[in-house]
Amino acid sequence: MIYLPFEELLQTLRAALERAGFDQTRAARLADVFARNSLEGVYSHGVNRFPRFLNNVANGTVDLSAAPEQVAALGGMEIWDGHFGPGPLIAEDAMARAVELARSHGVACVSVRNSNHWMRPGRYGRQAAEAGMAAVLFTNTSANMPAWGALDARLGNNPIVLAVPRQKGPVVVDMAMSQFAYGKLELAALAGEQLPIDGGFDEAGRPTRDPQAILRTRRILPTGYWKGSAMSVALDLMAAALSMGRTVSAVSRDPLDERGLSQVFLAINFRGLLPAEEVDQMLDEALEDLLASAPAPGEPPVRYPGQNLEQTVRRNLENGVPVNEATWEKIEAFLR
């Protein structure tokens, strides 16, 4: 592992994206996505994912020049076609549009078809929360998870985000429908670490904490067993129906790397109805009660989702952003 200053990381990624063919504006936006995801501690969807993104641009999975196009609208609902463009930019623009619509309609739903991997979805939930909006957003993926009780992967791990704005800092839940996202498995495998709890099945069909065994079998464990399996199905059908886009089954038939995804961005302007001070007081009291939980023996204090983000940012700004050395060598080789 190497530790790099954030600005060096940002400028290097921007240079690589410009080398790949992006204009300066798009390169700067995308560089911020990857660099800041790592800065904020989500290494699996930050710099570690960057070489794969460059490969996806090179092989045509991502159309670097595509721009989203609105194809339908009804009040606070809109459908956009991403035309296989860069997923993070599509997601940022769709979330911004949902926030804009929610200011007028109270609740807004912007759905997108033919998008690509959006990297870390919590970024877009936080984007909405910082604009004062509650948000729910989700995507489907290629088939990478067996249904509960099945051997072969027919479901996506279909991440979902729920974000609640608050003056003292938003609460952001960012989770896949698998116990561990594949990026987390890859990160643990690179570090030679075991998972803290079972995350999938090995070749003998036994539950295991070995990320390398799970990556070999591709039998990841749904979150909450059959409950995560059921949620995955529902999120897939809703994303495809709301965007008139592809289901997991259709995405998986595309020979390119997980493209043509269906995504949904909901923004809820509840602060337009209720006094902000009263809302914050209610939220603060609930979180204070949660944080007063007595930790189990040997466990750290309880925290709410997203609570440690600022602490992680301060540490990585002070010590440097941790980056896998082999990954950084690939990026530097691309620039030579």
Side-chain angles (χ1 to χ4, degrees):
M1 194 70 69
I2 57 176
Y3 296 84
L4 300 172
F6 176 68
E7 286 301 322
E8 178 184 342
L9 192 60
L10 194 63
Q11 294 306 317
T12 302
L13 298 187
R14 179 174 178 174
L17 288 161
E18 290 181 5
R19 173 73 62 87
F22 287 96
D23 61 46
Q24 290 185 350
T25 299
R26 285 187 153 199
R29 290 179 63 191
L30 283 166
D32 187 75
V33 169
F34 287 98
R36 198 165 298 277
N37 284 351
S38 283
L39 175 69
E40 295 178 353
V42 189
Y43 310 111
S44 58
H45 290 71
V47 180
N48 285 341
R49 183 97 185 191
F50 190 74
R52 181 174 172 182
F53 180 77
L54 292 178
N55 288 337
N56 286 345
V57 172
N59 67 22
T61 298
V62 175
D63 183 343
L64 61 85
S65 61
E69 175 188 13
Q70 185 188 117
V71 294
L74 177 63
M77 297 178 62
E78 292 183 355
I79 299 175
W80 289 70
D81 193 319
H83 295 302
F84 309 105
L89 302 188
I90 293 171
E92 279 191 347
D93 291 344
M95 192 75 260
R97 179 58 179 159
V99 167
E100 180 183 6
L101 287 170
R103 297 201 190 284
S104 301
H105 296 277
V107 177
C109 175
V110 172
S111 52
V112 179
R113 65 191 186 208
N114 297 326
S115 186
N116 278 302
H117 198 300
W118 58 8
M119 301 306 143
R120 170 198 171 203
R123 175 184 175 97
Y124 318 117
R126 189 168 289 272
Q127 173 188 346
E130 289 174 350
M133 303 283 176
V136 180
L137 48 145
F138 51 94
T139 183
N140 58 15
T141 69
S142 59
N144 59 19
M145 183 173 76
W148 181 247
L151 290 174
D152 56 334
R154 301 296 179 102
L155 302 181
N157 61 354
N158 302 345
I160 184 171
V161 171
L162 297 97
V164 182
R166 191 172 69 107
Q167 188 65 37
K168 294 181 180 178
V171 176
V172 181
V173 176
D174 178 353
M175 60 178 285
M177 288 299 108
S178 57
Q179 190 64 53
F180 295 94
Y182 273 100
K184 296 290 177 65
L185 295 176
E186 291 164 357
L187 200 62
L190 280 172
E193 297 174 348
Q194 295 287 292
L195 303 172
I197 60 174
D198 292 338
F201 300 90
D202 64 15
E203 291 88 344
R206 297 170 301 206
T208 181
R209 300 185 180 193
D210 182 354
Q212 295 186 6
I214 301 167
L215 289 170
R216 286 194 298 269
T217 63
R218 309 297 287 181
R219 287 188 64 194
I220 55 177
L221 192 65
T223 299
Y225 305 114
W226 52 88
K227 295 182 180 182
S229 179
M231 281 289 292
S232 171
V233 173
L235 291 172
D236 177 36
L237 297 181
M238 287 185 67
L242 288 171
S243 66
M244 295 307 295
R246 293 178 173 184
T247 62
V248 167
S249 178
V251 169
S252 303
R253 291 195 294 271
D254 193 314
L256 294 176
D257 182 16
E258 196 176 56
R259 73 169 191 158
L261 304 178
S262 300
Q263 298 169 345
V264 176
F265 303 81
L266 290 161
I268 305 164
N269 187 13
F270 69 91
R271 287 174 177 265
L273 290 173
L274 304 170
E277 297 81 6
E278 292 182 18
V279 173
D280 275 343
Q281 181 179 354
M282 176 186 64
L283 298 176
D284 291 347
E285 288 176 356
L287 292 176
E288 286 167 8
D289 184 62
L290 171 68
L291 297 176
S293 300
E299 294 295 329
V302 171
R303 64 181 190 227
Y304 62 80
Q307 182 178 351
N308 287 349
L309 184 139
E310 291 184 4
Q311 178 182 338
T312 301
V313 169
R314 286 195 298 270
R315 182 182 68 244
N316 285 342
L317 285 175
E318 180 178 342
N319 301 327
V321 180
V323 177
N324 178 268
E325 193 167 357
T327 300
W328 192 245
E329 288 174 358
K330 291 179 183 177
I331 296 170
E332 290 186 317
F334 180 80
L335 282 168
R336 286 198 288 267

